[in-house]
Amino acid sequence: MIEELKKHLEAVEAFQADTAEALEAFRIEYLGKKGHLSTFFAALKDIPKEEKKEFGQTVNTLKNAANAKWEALKAELESRTATEARYGDLTRPGAPMPVGSRHPISLVRDQIISIFSGIGFTVSEGPEIEDDWHNFTALNLPEYHPARDMQDTFFIQTDPDILLRTHTSSVQVRYMEQHKPPIRTISPGRVYRNEAISARSHCFFHQVEGLYIDKGVSFADLKQTLQYFTKALFGKSRIRLRPSYFPFTEPSAEVDVYWGLETETDYKITKGTGWLEIMGCGMVDPNVLENCGIDSKEYSGFAFGMGIDRIALLLYQIPDIRLLSENDVRFLKQFKNAL
Ligand code: PHE
């Protein structure tokens, strides 16, 4: 009999209940009117005298253990029910967190930044709402200069001196005003032009412009830098520089990269020539250096500027520039694994 009691004691101590039903079954089994404890207490009177003491004590121990266990499990279940009512089942696996994707413009911008950082260029930024001086006048585009029409500008109506920057050359003016040469910096950022929105052009887009100023910087340095860049970004190192005009550079050039004519898409995007125009560049006009407080007799430099959106369209074969600003997740999530 005493052995049986000890087994019950072990069972009680090991008992665990996940549900209120299991706990109630335990209560009935041990503490109920017809439970084990009642049976043992009833048996007490038939136990031989010399064993009575030990038996009685053990039954008491079992009773205390069963009561304590029941109280403890009851409290635990109650607190779990309260937590669940408040927070739901905390043991359930979490809801999956959707993983976002980088925007193609960010992807391309970061690649360009990383290529130029690798050859010593810093990254500089400036305001999107600019004044006339930094966007135009300092860049050799005084008031009434006809070349101002090259970039259709959004003005703030109440103040003709304030506008939305049409290029990030404005950041380079700010940078030159604040830093002494040698200067090596690129300026990524959003720019605005008052153009009709179509599949090929938008009223805002993104640029990276670059500036290098030091003693003895030549056009050969410019060409070499651009060649290094196009090789790194597109894997193509054949470029050509076509004479062009920008008010802030002299001489100026348009940069074409040889894309190739292997696939039908190559024919389409290069209009059958194999060449793609990717940026403008030139030697910084001495007037611009002087406007920004840099001695043009001592220093020379080159500048270049490219549109990120167009390059993103090219690299990812996106057919319409408007897709870049529509924020359609079906479009954006395709860049989850893009580099
Ligand atoms: N700022 C010019 C543009 O936005 C690009 C450019 C930059 C051209 C630097 C030459 C030198 O079109």
Side-chain angles (χ1 to χ4, degrees):
M1 199 79 150
I2 198 109
E3 285 310 308
E4 201 186 325
L5 257 178
K6 285 189 176 149
K7 267 198 199 118
H8 277 300
L9 194 56
E10 275 171 30
V12 164
E13 266 153 16
F15 181 73
Q16 289 299 335
D18 272 345
T19 61
E21 290 73 32
L23 183 60
E24 180 60 6
F26 170 84
R27 192 191 63 77
I28 294 167
E29 186 184 349
Y30 283 94
L31 305 164
K33 259 195 208 127
K34 294 178 187 157
H36 294 308
L37 279 161
S38 304
T39 318
F40 286 127
F41 277 120
L44 194 58
K45 61 181 190 313
D46 302 324
I47 300 288
K49 218 182 184 170
E50 56 283 10
E51 287 170 29
K52 229 183 195 101
K53 189 171 170 214
E54 193 195 351
F55 188 84
Q57 276 172 353
T58 315
V59 177
N60 254 329
T61 310
L62 179 65
K63 180 183 140 196
N64 291 339
N67 268 321
K69 182 59 107 179
W70 182 72
E71 294 283 353
L73 289 180
K74 190 171 151 229
E76 193 184 310
L77 278 174
E78 275 169 4
S79 96
R80 199 190 305 166
T81 319
T83 313
E84 270 172 29
R86 188 155 172 205
Y87 301 109
D89 179 1
L90 292 180
T91 63
R92 265 178 55 193
M97 275 271 270
V99 179
S101 55
R102 318 249 8 233
H103 194 282
I105 289 184
S106 307
L107 292 168
V108 174
R109 182 199 56 207
D110 292 353
Q111 261 175 284
I112 297 173
I113 291 176
S114 120
I115 294 167
F116 282 107
S117 320
I119 49 173
F121 282 76
T122 60
V123 174
S124 47
E125 287 182 329
E128 291 180 22
I129 301 173
E130 256 305 356
D131 52 38
D132 183 281
W133 169 258
H134 291 98
N135 196 80
F136 288 130
T137 307
L139 288 160
N140 222 11
L141 277 156
E143 217 185 334
Y144 304 121
H145 191 292
R148 281 198 179 201
D149 290 345
M150 281 167 74
Q151 301 174 352
D152 268 327
T153 309
F154 285 117
F155 290 95
I156 308 288
Q157 239 171 15
T158 49
D159 186 348
D161 189 46
I162 306 296
L163 47 90
L164 295 178
R165 67 181 179 194
T166 58
H167 48 191
T168 57
S169 305
S170 56
V171 181
Q172 309 190 326
V173 172
R174 288 178 179 276
Y175 197 89
M176 285 188 277
E177 286 173 342
Q178 281 155 19
H179 297 82
K180 294 267 146 277
I183 288 172
R184 263 188 241 103
T185 188
I186 52 169
S187 322
R190 179 177 287 177
V191 301
Y192 301 83
R193 291 186 198 175
N194 190 2
E195 277 171 28
I197 298 171
S198 72
R200 304 299 306 164
S201 70
H202 211 294
C203 61
F204 62 80
F205 56 97
H206 304 78
Q207 281 191 326
V208 177
E209 295 218 353
L211 179 69
Y212 187 136
I213 296 172
D214 203 348
K215 290 181 179 152
V217 176
S218 73
F219 203 88
D221 297 321
L222 167 61
K223 187 170 181 192
Q224 202 58 44
T225 307
L226 297 182
Q227 201 153 29
Y228 172 81
F229 167 72
T230 49
K231 175 87 180 100
L233 186 67
F234 302 111
K236 317 216 182 238
S237 45
R238 214 173 135 199
I239 60 169
R240 96 185 157 188
L241 298 170
R242 268 183 298 111
S244 183
Y245 172 75
F246 297 103
F248 27 86
T249 46
E250 182 59 36
S252 305
E254 214 80 61
V255 184
D256 298 342
V257 57
Y258 189 70
W259 195 257
L261 275 177
E262 273 153 38
T263 66
E264 204 182 318
T265 323
D266 293 347
Y267 268 88
K268 224 193 259 166
I269 60 179
T270 68
K271 300 198 181 88
T273 65
W275 292 93
L276 265 184
E277 181 188 319
I278 51 158
M279 64 172 119
C281 69
M283 301 304 292
V284 183
D285 192 301
N287 278 344
V288 175
L289 295 177
E290 296 292 339
N291 284 342
C292 301
I294 293 173
D295 184 351
S296 64
K297 291 192 190 60
E298 201 177 346
Y299 293 102
S300 58
F302 63 72
F304 55 86
M306 68 193 106
I308 304 179
D309 308 57
R310 277 205 48 211
I311 295 177
L313 298 192
L314 260 178
L315 287 178
Y316 299 116
Q317 312 225 328
I318 301 166
D320 191 321
I321 199 168
R322 289 168 290 198
L323 287 164
L324 295 174
S325 49
E326 276 167 1
N327 271 341
D328 186 331
V329 277
R330 291 169 305 177
F331 169 73
L332 295 173
K333 72 182 179 192
Q334 296 178 72
F335 298 91
K336 223 171 241 180
N337 300 314
L339 276 177

